Amino acid sequence: MSMARPLVLEGHALSCIRDDRVLFRELAFQVKNRQVLLLEGRNGSGKTSLLRILCGFREPDAGEVRWCGEPITDVQYRMDMAYIGHLEGIKKELTVLENLKVALALAQAGTCNIQEALARVQLAGFDDVPAQALSAGQKRRLSLARLLMTHNALWILDEPFTALDKQGIALIEQLMMEHCDQGGMIVLTSHHELNLPTVDVQRIRLS
Amino acid sequence: MSLTAAFFAIIRRDLILALRRRSEIANPLFFFVLVITLFPLGVGAKPHLLQTIAPGIIWVSALLAAMLSLDSLFRSDFDDGSLEQLLLSPHPVSVLILGKVFAHWLVTGLPLLLVAPLLAVFLGMPAGSLGILLLTLLLGTPVLSLIGAIGVALTVGLRRGGMILSLLVLPLYVPVLIFASNAVAMAASGLPVGPQLNILIAILLMALTLAPWPTAAALKMSVS
């Protein structure tokens, strides 16, 4: 599996200015296989802005982001990454299965099929339930199922633990550790204390 | 992961969504029928006058109906984050957008074509120009969706984009309106309409090949 190839996400001297306020400046980091980068900081400190820069939605005001030495505008980057933000990208009128089928058509298939992915996020049997009938936590898990069934080495997650209960959080942490064990990497923001004993977690505190 | 599969998956998804939110199909169509049925009441019992202005009435109504339907093109995708996922797909965004616009046309443009013959009869248009009316609608309404997509993509991130949208898009609709209604009027008087149709075909081909790119670029700007 190509996830095992050496991958590196680098930020070089990144700056972000919003409404004349400097959110961060000269920020540099490097994330490699089997690593997690956790962005910490208060509300409005620029965590989400940084994630959106990493996704390519927003240009940094200075500096650049590179994926394996290439700029992130490269198609290869979009093949290797997956993003889940505040907005989960779930169509509420579609069923769980229809939602995942569309997601699969838009990305590269991974090792897990849709049913396995649903089972792993404990949504097995929910195939034909419209997404609007799911609870907030179940929706969150549905969006995470998308990560499992598509092929992507880099996960970018914005507050993945919101709306999840204790078991849900433990489940996602388990999936994150498995992803890192297989050679993947994760960049995330979280207010929740991460419990990933087997993974090398780097922290950046934005203030 | 093939582009064709992604293209059809998008069309299929949008058609299912339209089926589950039926008002989206019904609203523009209802508007189209309503406006056209109001004209004879306003103009009064003057069959000749109605007959003369029928092509213009039908086309102006089609244009306004298309405008009315535009907002639904990207709104819900923008609100629930599906648009972000679409833009992050490794596939070329312009092709995926073409799929979305095509589905949108099937849902909002094609129904206009289906009721147009009935309304043409209602306005007393000569039977000979009916075929040309349908042809101009077939060639013209996809252009309305394609050009409209650029406008919506630019304004979807704004809270009150409706006014700007019409200012942006309506001037670009004018050529379609002129050539299409002119073709129908000429056909009604039994004159040849080849040049008008050729121009409409050219406009359609141009919109089909050129519109998806600015739409994709504008959507990227709107999510940033």
Side-chain angles (χ1 to χ4, degrees), chain B residues 1 3 7 11 29 33 36 46 56 61 65 91-92 112 124 177-178 203 209-210 224:
Chain B
M1 182 195 86
L3 182 55
F7 180 74
I11 295 180
L29 185 65
V33 174
I36 292 177
K46 302 187 188 82
S61 311
H91 298 296
L112 302 189
L177 175 67
I178 292 173
I203 294 178
T209 45
L210 297 181
S224 71

Side-chain angles (χ1 to χ4, degrees), chain A residues 60-72:
Chain A
D61 291 288
E64 66 172 338
V65 185
R66 291 188 156 260
W67 174 246
C68 306
E70 299 293 326
I72 55 169

Side-chain angles (χ1 to χ4, degrees), chain B residues 117-170:
Chain B
L118 195 68
L119 296 166
V121 172
F122 183 71
L123 293 175
M125 272 173 67
S129 60
L130 212 65
I132 297 297
L133 172 69
L134 288 183
L135 199 57
T136 57
L137 283 172
L138 184 68
L139 294 171
T141 46
V143 177
L144 304 183
S145 294
L146 285 162
I147 293 178
I150 305 175
V152 209
L154 282 168
T155 54
V156 71
L158 307 175
R159 250 156 295 173
R160 282 187 204 85
M163 194 64 205
I164 302 173
L165 177 65
S166 33
L167 284 175
L168 275 176
V169 163
L170 274 179

